[in-house]
């Protein structure tokens, strides 16, 4: 299809340009705080892509996913902060965090292999809480995690002499830390999207989906379900650990509170709302759910315009609206807001 | 003829129920072997025991001399025994082509790195798998449905797709659990032709089937199970005259 | 010895509360095989509603006996929770009864978020203390202490459980519930109004949750919009421990979990040479949960397997 090719490249080109300019457009249009929010959204896209491997592809309902995010963040903090006096560069600390997360993915995955559905969900939820409780309390007798106070002064990512937490001027353009972080996160996000896409359309990805669809039939079709489930856990955990390390460097501070169950649930909601197992849907869900609570802050303005005063603090209202939205979407679009292409293709086939 | 599948003394109990008692039988290379018996006789249980879904209590299963008992289902398949299910178990949300590609899993090797980097070996393997999968869909007559989701295929096509998926693993022995169930006479005839052709190409078949006409016309030899016990074995003519077989079927009918 | 006895009493009291909440989980799961994720929040709502009534009465009619005030609190909390349970079933679960399993789990999570934040809007973020209307008696047995509140919790729990067992074993509704749990289809063919049975199950579970919510806030002297989450999680663990879907199992599991937590918190310091302290109390529930699910997935009293291949 030579004709079809040029528009495709055009689309890619425009998309690349748009992504490159995005932080400046957002900065100009919505304000600097929104640039940081976009950074956060990219972080959640990475997390959602990781959980999508476990839940969306392999069908293993994991409610403790945030544990791997936490592990990546803590490993990074241990290796690059005054807490232990270590200051490893990010290209060393980040992979180590991801690797440890992957190891834990396998360790936590092993005892749960026989469980299915809701039971797996509850056990993984338990694992997530156990990790959080340990992080909260492992400050005595040996101070490993610094307890609820968390770890402070974590090193930002440095490229050469350039710290990504400070404003830099390159080629006459001023980049704030949030802008620079955006490009770093975008790079990682694109890499994870690429990996996800390649895996989805491969022998491994098909085996995962087969397990999700019918585990017994998958085993009888020659799939070593045990190994492939563990691989899914490990891959998902790697993504999570990576995102955790990036989060720690971005925030400069981590504490157990950032890694509570609500966080796991939020990531799960992102992929379910967007469209499980469907990469564009997952990305959409992650961006939507990161930005939605912020956007709901504007309910304060609406209240003032409508009633002349603020009755309910928008910060309190937004989670309520979020919960209602979750219920509504599930009731009216159980396959998610952006269901996978194969479903759409199916509709097309049926229409023929 | 040499025995491809040798089952000796296989027993399996669920709680107090003896589902299989001391079953022994041999399936020779190149033949179509039928497994018949009244409902609840233990035919599917035997299939599950052979393919590693159930662990057996006693006995031994060998395929081409290799022990299968104690193996996991994926190891059984890799050893060369593929199967279909009585109540069709396709991967519903995958396309027909993808279902057959999953069947290639045991005969392919590329891992995460190969998939992500699309290494040359992986590309070759993938292209080969796709070509084989398409050929198999062609073979069972549903190539036109390659891109449709398995769950949306008509019933008969789902049965055929399951056979294609099993064949994709290049088995030495194909075990079919009631492949003609729910098919109309034309579909049955097509299935019959397909199975005979597969046999002609050197595949050995083990078949559970209720359609007596199909079984008698197709199978070289038969074994009859009743209440988990093998009550007869032999050529269709011999088995159909066996008084205990007649009794078992009449008894079943009388219920 | 006195420490041992004290932990035993504390564990039984705590376990009673877990058991009552666990019953709600287990009844719903037994009937529609769904983890009612919002059940913990129903418990929380019960506690806060009751506390508001009790606080208002204690302030407005100081002459009223404490027990009467408490009864008034329960008298409002129970219908509120029942209505809430029915609403949740109707809005969040019934439309999704035949949807993929993940869908009702997500709506359940959505409902818990809504309830939690609703409670936060109504009652604020601060801890609410239980008004001092209850008898404050405190008795000593063999060196251990037991309070009036603890005795009341134990007695009330035993009575409720006996009532529940009688209901399930002897009444028409109980029979219909057991039939529906076996097979929804068959039950409906036999003339059981399945929707009504499921709604009744939610109603009963929610009523128990209201009572448990009042108990737990009376026991700790506190209530909070966030209290439902951990309580719900632990109660679910208790239900799984006993064998989900099994009423006796939920009772046993609740009591056992209460005891494990209480003894665990009491002795973990000694057991680990002071390395881990009693603030690891919350971890026990999860370890128990994971151990049970991994080694005995059907629970202690569970007969039905989880995995039906």
């Amino acid at each position: 299809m030579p004709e079809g090719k040029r528009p495709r490249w055009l689309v890619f080109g425009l998309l690349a340009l748009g992504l490159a300019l995005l932080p400046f457009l957002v900065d100009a249009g919505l304000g600097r705080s929104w640039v940081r929010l976009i950074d956060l959204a990219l972080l959640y896209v990475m997390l959602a892509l990781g959980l999508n491997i476990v839940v969306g592809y392999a069908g293993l309902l994991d409610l403790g996913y945030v544990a791997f995010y936490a592990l990546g963040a803590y490993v990074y903090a241990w290796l690059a902060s005054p807490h232990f006096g270590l200051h490893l560069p990010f290209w060393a600390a980040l992979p180590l965090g991801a690797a440890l997360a992957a190891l834990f993915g396998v360790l936590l995955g092993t005892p749960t292999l026989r469980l299915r559905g809701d039971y797996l969900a509850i056990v993984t939820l338990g694992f997530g809480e156990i990790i959080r409780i340990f992080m909260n309390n492992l400050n005595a007798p040996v101070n490993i995690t610094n307890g609820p106070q968390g770890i402070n002064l974590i090193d930002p990512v440095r490229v050469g002499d350039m710290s990504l937490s400070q404003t830099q001027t390159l080629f006459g353009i001023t980049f704030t830390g949030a802008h620079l972080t955006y490009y770093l996160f975008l790079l990682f996000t694109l890499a994870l999207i690429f990996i996800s896409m390649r895996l989805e359309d491969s022998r491994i990805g098909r085996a995962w989906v087969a397990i999700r669809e019918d585990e017994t039939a998958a085993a009888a079709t020659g799939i070593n379900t045990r190994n492939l489930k563990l691989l899914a856990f490990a891959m998902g955990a790697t993504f999570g650990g990576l995102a955790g390390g990036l989060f720690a460097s971005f925030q400069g501070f981590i504490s157990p509170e950032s890694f509570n169950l609500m966080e796991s649930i939020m990531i799960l909601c992102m992929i379910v709302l967007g469209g499980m197992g469907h990469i564009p849907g997952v990305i959409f869900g992650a961006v939507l759910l990161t930005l939605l609570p912020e956007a709901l802050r504007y309910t304060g303005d609406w209240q003032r315009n409508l009633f002349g005063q603020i009755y309910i603090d928008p910060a309190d209202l937004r989670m309520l609206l979020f919960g209602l939205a979750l219920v509504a979407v599930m009731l009216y679009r159980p396959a998610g807001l952006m269901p996978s292409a194969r479903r759409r293709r199916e509709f097309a086939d049926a229409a023929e | 003829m040499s025995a491809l599948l040798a089952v000796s003394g296989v027993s399996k109990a669920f709680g107090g129920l003896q589902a299989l008692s001391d079953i022994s039988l041999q399936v020779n290379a190149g033949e179509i072997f039928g497994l018949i018996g009244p409902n609840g006789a233990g035919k599917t249980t035997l299939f599950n025991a052979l393919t590693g879904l159930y662990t057996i209590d006693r006995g031994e299963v060998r395929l081409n001399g290799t022990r299968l008992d104690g193996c996991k289902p994926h190891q059984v398949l890799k050893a060369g025994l593929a199967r279909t299910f009585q109540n069709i178990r396709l991967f519903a949300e995958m396309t027909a082509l993808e279902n057959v590609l999953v069947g290639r899993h045991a005969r392919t090797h590329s891992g995460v790195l190969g998939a992500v980097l699309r290494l040359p070996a992986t590309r070759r393997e993938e292209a080969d798998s796709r070509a084989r999968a398409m050929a198999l869909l062609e073979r069972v007559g549903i190539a036109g449905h390659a891109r449709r989701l398995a769950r949306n295929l008509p019933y008969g096509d789902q049965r055929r797709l399951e056979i294609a998926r099993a064949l994709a693993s290049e088995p030495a022995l194909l075990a079919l659990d009631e492949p003609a169930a729910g098919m109309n006479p034309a579909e049955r005839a097509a299935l019959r032709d397909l199975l005979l052709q597969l046999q002609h190409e050197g595949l050995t078949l083990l078949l559970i089937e209720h359609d007596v006409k199909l079984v008698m016309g197709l199978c070289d030899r038969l074994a009859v199970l009743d209440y988990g016990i093998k009550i007869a074995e032999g050529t269709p003519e011999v088995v159909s005259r066996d008084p205990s077989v007649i009794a078992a079927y009449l008894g079943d009918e009388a219920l | 010895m006195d420490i041992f006895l004290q932990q035993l009493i504390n564990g039984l009291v705590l376990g009673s509360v877990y058991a009552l909440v666990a019953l709600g989980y287990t009844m719903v799961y037994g009937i529609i095989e769904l983890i009612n994720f919002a059940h913990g929040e129903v418990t929380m709502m019960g506690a806060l509603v009751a506390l508001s009534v009790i606080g208002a009465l204690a302030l407005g009619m100081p002459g009223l006996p404490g027990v009467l005030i408490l009864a008034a609190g329960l008298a409002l909390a129970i219908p509120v929770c029942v209505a809430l349970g029915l609403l949740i079933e109707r809005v969040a679960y019934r439309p999704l009864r035949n949807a993929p399993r993940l869908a009702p789990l997500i709506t359940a999570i959505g409902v818990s978020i809504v309830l939690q934040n609703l409670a936060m809007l109504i009652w604020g973020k601060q801890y609410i203390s239980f008004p001092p209307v209850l008898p404050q008696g405190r008795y000593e047995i063999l060196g251990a202490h037991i309070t009036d509140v603890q005795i009341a919790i134990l007695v009330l729990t035993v009575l409720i459980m006996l009532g529940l067992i009688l209901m399930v074993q002897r009444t028409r509704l109980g029979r219909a519930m057991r039939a529906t749990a076996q097979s929804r289809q068959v039950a409906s063919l036999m003339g059981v109004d399945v929707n009504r049975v499921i709604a009744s199950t939610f109603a009963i579970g929610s009523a128990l949750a209201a009572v448990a919510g009042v108990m737990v806030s009376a026991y700790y002297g506190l209530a909070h919009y966030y209290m439902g989450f951990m309580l719900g999680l632990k109660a679910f663990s208790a239900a799984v421990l006993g064998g989900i879907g099994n009423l006796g199992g939920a009772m046993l599991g609740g009591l056992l979990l209460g005891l494990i937590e209480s003894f665990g918190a009491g002795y973990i310091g000694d057991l680990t040479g002071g390395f881990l302290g009693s603030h690891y109390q919350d971890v026990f529930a999860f370890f128990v949960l994971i151990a049970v699910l991994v080694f005995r997935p059907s629970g202690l009293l569970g007969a039905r397997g989880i995995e039906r291949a």
Side-chain angles (χ1 to χ4, degrees):
Chain A
M1 292 180 284
E3 279 99 337
K5 234 168 189 165
R6 200 181 306 156
R8 213 176 126 192
W9 279 111
L10 200 68
V11 169
F12 267 114
L14 284 174
L15 195 67
L17 192 70
L19 283 174
L21 293 179
L22 187 67
F24 292 96
L25 297 174
V26 166
D27 195 353
L30 293 163
R32 186 136 304 167
S33 68
W34 279 82
V35 182
R36 271 185 78 83
L37 215 58
I38 302 280
D39 295 349
L40 212 57
L42 288 176
L43 214 50
Y44 278 109
V45 171
M46 294 185 229
L47 287 168
L49 286 170
L51 187 62
N52 183 48
I53 291 178
V54 186
V55 184
Y57 295 160
L60 304 162
L61 184 48
D62 184 350
L63 280 183
Y65 184 63
V66 76
F68 307 121
Y69 184 41
L71 277 168
Y74 269 90
V75 169
Y76 188 92
W78 290 327
L79 297 177
S81 82
H83 185 65
F84 288 139
L86 292 170
H87 292 281
L88 262 57
F90 86 97
W91 51 260
L94 213 53
L96 281 171
L100 188 80
L103 180 70
F104 264 79
V106 173
L107 283 179
L108 300 189
T110 308
T112 65
L113 285 173
R114 291 190 310 160
L115 304 172
R116 293 178 193 196
D118 297 354
Y119 283 83
L120 181 67
I122 295 294
V123 168
T124 49
L125 186 153
F127 276 134
E129 284 297 293
I130 287 172
I131 295 228
R132 193 181 59 84
I133 291 169
F134 271 92
M135 301 212 154
N136 239 324
N137 294 300
L138 276 181
N139 51 345
V142 185
N143 188 359
I144 301 171
T145 63
N146 207 27
Q149 286 85 37
I151 298 176
N152 220 330
L153 296 173
I154 300 165
D155 299 345
V157 171
R158 271 170 212 286
V159 181
D161 290 336
M162 189 175 76
S163 161
L164 288 199
S165 69
Q166 283 152 8
T167 302
Q168 310 277 351
T169 307
L170 294 169
F171 320 114
I173 307 169
T174 310
F175 295 87
T176 67
H179 286 78
L180 292 168
T181 305
Y182 168 82
Y183 293 109
L184 178 76
F185 283 10
L186 185 65
L187 215 64
F188 276 102
T189 307
L190 290 175
L192 296 193
I193 292 173
F194 179 76
I195 292 172
S196 293
M197 284 169 66
R198 283 278 167 98
L199 280 177
E200 184 182 329
D201 184 28
S202 76
R203 171 177 176 265
I204 307 277
R206 286 191 297 265
W208 281 334
V209 176
I211 292 172
R212 178 189 79 196
E213 292 296 305
D214 187 334
E215 195 173 332
T216 306
T221 311
I223 292 167
N224 184 339
T225 52
R226 196 183 70 98
N227 286 0
L228 272 141
K229 281 167 147 190
L230 287 180
L231 181 63
F233 273 124
M235 286 300 294
T238 309
F239 283 28
L242 196 70
L246 290 172
F247 172 73
S249 75
F250 169 59
Q251 205 82 347
F253 160 74
I254 55 165
S255 75
E257 266 324 288
S258 305
F259 309 107
N260 57 30
L261 176 73
M262 204 51 225
E263 207 69 9
S264 287
I265 288 176
M266 207 58 126
I267 302 165
L268 181 69
C269 289
M270 288 171 181
I271 66 174
V272 175
L273 278 185
M276 257 198 332
H278 182 222
I279 294 169
V282 168
I283 297 169
F284 173 70
V287 173
L288 181 75
L289 287 201
T290 318
L291 301 186
L292 189 65
E294 287 312 305
L296 289 177
R297 280 189 198 281
Y298 290 109
T299 53
D301 297 343
W302 300 340
Q303 287 182 47
R304 201 179 296 113
N305 292 339
L306 272 174
F307 310 115
Q309 70 178 93
I310 293 177
Y311 285 100
I312 301 172
D313 183 359
D316 293 344
L317 192 62
R318 64 195 179 129
M319 283 310 287
L320 185 72
L321 294 176
F322 175 73
L324 288 172
L326 217 52
V327 176
V329 173
M330 272 301 105
L331 290 181
Y332 298 107
R333 297 292 295 270
L337 295 170
M338 249 174 129
S340 74
R342 69 179 55 183
R343 291 202 177 188
R344 261 182 282 137
R345 189 166 69 219
E346 227 2 69
F347 286 129
D349 279 3
E352 269 166 22
Chain B
M1 270 202 258
S2 60
L4 177 66
L5 178 75
V7 178
S8 46
V10 167
S11 297
K12 172 77 185 171
F14 296 101
L17 178 77
Q18 193 67 39
L20 296 173
S21 314
D22 200 22
I23 303 285
S24 297
L25 51 87
Q26 289 201 352
V27 178
N28 297 322
E31 70 180 351
I32 298 183
F33 190 95
L35 201 57
I36 62 170
N39 281 324
K43 303 179 301 278
T44 297
T45 307
L46 181 60
F47 259 38
N48 288 345
L50 296 182
T51 53
L53 291 181
Y54 294 157
T55 51
I56 56 176
D57 302 335
R58 260 174 296 116
E60 204 183 272
V61 180
R62 283 177 189 273
L63 185 74
N64 250 337
T66 319
R67 284 284 286 266
L68 289 189
D69 49 291
C71 281
K72 298 240 181 281
H74 70 269
Q75 295 166 324
V76 171
L77 182 115
K78 189 144 195 178
L81 200 180
R83 71 170 290 180
T84 65
F85 292 87
Q86 186 181 351
N87 49 337
I88 310 177
R89 299 183 79 154
L90 290 166
F91 307 121
E93 290 285 329
M94 299 177 96
T95 63
L97 180 65
E98 285 170 328
N99 267 275
V100 184
L101 283 172
V102 172
R104 292 292 304 156
H105 189 89
R107 301 288 172 242
T108 47
H109 310 281
S110 55
V112 172
L113 213 61
V116 172
L117 301 178
R118 290 245 164 105
L119 298 174
T122 306
R123 281 165 188 262
R124 272 198 302 279
E125 194 180 87
E126 187 76 11
D128 174 61
S129 288
R130 278 177 192 274
R132 283 168 186 263
M134 273 315 291
L136 279 170
L137 287 176
E138 199 86 53
R139 180 93 206 256
V140 300
I142 53 171
H145 293 328
R147 277 158 56 81
R148 294 191 65 183
L149 291 193
R151 70 184 159 97
N152 293 340
L153 295 182
Y155 189 81
D157 290 348
Q158 292 196 358
R159 287 238 174 259
R160 284 188 266 200
L161 176 55
E162 219 189 0
I163 294 174
R165 182 179 71 187
L167 287 174
S169 68
E170 301 168 45
L173 174 66
L174 177 62
L176 302 166
D177 197 344
E178 296 194 30
M183 284 188 173
N184 61 37
E187 286 175 324
R188 274 167 201 248
L191 177 74
R192 200 187 119 109
D193 291 345
L194 174 68
L195 298 186
L196 284 172
Q197 205 186 345
L198 289 171
Q199 180 191 27
H200 187 69
E201 287 165 21
L203 188 68
T204 309
L205 292 144
L206 177 62
L207 188 68
I208 295 178
E209 190 47 66
H210 272 305
D211 183 338
V212 176
K213 235 175 77 192
L214 186 73
V215 170
M216 293 297 175
L218 201 57
C219 295
D220 301 302
R221 290 193 307 128
L222 291 173
V224 187
L225 296 190
D226 191 26
Y227 292 110
I229 298 165
K230 188 180 83 175
I231 54 171
E233 183 180 347
T235 59
E237 299 80 59
V238 172
V239 166
S240 61
R241 283 197 299 270
D242 191 305
S244 56
V245 174
I246 295 164
Y249 269 91
L250 283 181
D252 187 50
E253 220 85 311
L255 282 174
Chain C
M1 188 61 202
D2 51 342
I3 293 180
F4 178 84
L5 192 62
Q6 190 64 57
Q7 302 294 6
L8 184 70
I9 293 171
N10 294 349
L12 284 176
V13 172
L14 203 57
S16 302
V17 175
Y18 291 159
L20 285 184
V21 184
L23 283 168
Y25 280 108
T26 227
M27 286 166 72
V28 167
Y29 197 95
I31 265 187
I32 54 175
E33 298 197 346
L34 173 102
I35 299 173
N36 179 8
F37 219 87
H39 190 62
E41 313 307 333
V42 174
T43 311
M44 172 273 294
M45 290 298 256
L48 288 172
V49 167
L51 242 66
S52 296
V53 174
I54 292 166
L57 284 179
L59 215 67
M61 308 166 91
L64 232 54
V67 179
L68 220 59
I69 295 183
L70 186 71
L74 272 172
L76 190 67
I78 291 175
V80 166
C81 284
V82 168
L84 218 51
L86 292 175
L87 188 76
I88 292 172
E89 193 272 327
R90 195 64 212 245
V91 173
Y93 300 146
R94 192 179 296 182
L96 292 173
R97 219 173 270 162
N98 298 313
R101 288 183 71 85
L102 220 50
L105 192 73
I106 301 281
T107 50
I109 289 169
V111 169
S112 349
I113 295 174
V114 169
L115 288 180
Q116 230 177 63
N117 285 277
L118 206 61
M120 189 182 77
L121 287 178
I122 299 173
W123 285 282
K125 291 177 190 169
Q126 71 282 11
Y127 284 88
I128 300 171
S129 53
F130 204 94
V133 295
L134 299 174
Q136 298 291 319
R138 201 173 139 89
Y139 316 96
E140 205 179 306
I141 346 167
L142 303 168
H145 295 284
I146 186 163
T147 64
D148 280 335
V149 171
Q150 287 179 318
I151 295 171
I153 290 177
L154 289 174
V155 172
L156 203 55
T157 304
V158 170
L159 290 178
I160 289 175
M161 286 182 177
L162 288 176
L164 195 68
I165 290 171
L166 279 178
M167 196 279 294
V168 172
Q169 301 288 343
R170 299 282 164 82
T171 64
R172 257 177 70 89
L173 176 63
R175 233 184 353 258
M177 283 170 67
R178 282 181 289 145
T180 310
Q182 288 294 320
S183 165
R184 222 181 296 163
Q185 268 176 325
V186 175
S188 94
L189 286 175
M190 292 297 153
V192 173
D193 182 348
V194 171
N195 278 339
R196 244 194 60 164
V197 171
I198 293 175
S200 309
T201 309
F202 271 85
I204 295 168
S206 304
L208 296 177
V211 177
V214 176
M215 281 181 177
V216 76
S217 53
Y219 179 53
Y220 287 117
L222 288 171
H224 185 230
Y225 79 95
Y226 200 62
M227 66 188 268
F229 168 66
M230 206 34 123
L231 184 63
L233 218 52
K234 287 181 180 174
F236 179 79
S237 307
V240 173
L241 173 61
I244 193 138
N246 181 318
L247 293 187
M251 300 174 190
L252 178 72
L255 288 178
L256 271 179
L257 188 65
L259 289 171
I260 290 169
E261 258 192 50
S262 162
F263 282 109
Y267 291 105
I268 186 173
D270 296 340
L271 286 175
T272 58
F275 185 74
L276 301 176
S278 60
H279 39 254
Y280 283 95
Q281 184 181 356
D282 286 344
V283 171
F284 296 114
F286 300 119
F287 272 122
V288 167
L289 177 68
I290 290 165
V292 171
L293 282 181
V294 171
F295 295 110
R296 196 178 158 76
S298 54
L300 296 175
L301 300 184
R304 289 202 296 167
I306 308 169
E307 296 179 75
R308 275 169 278 179

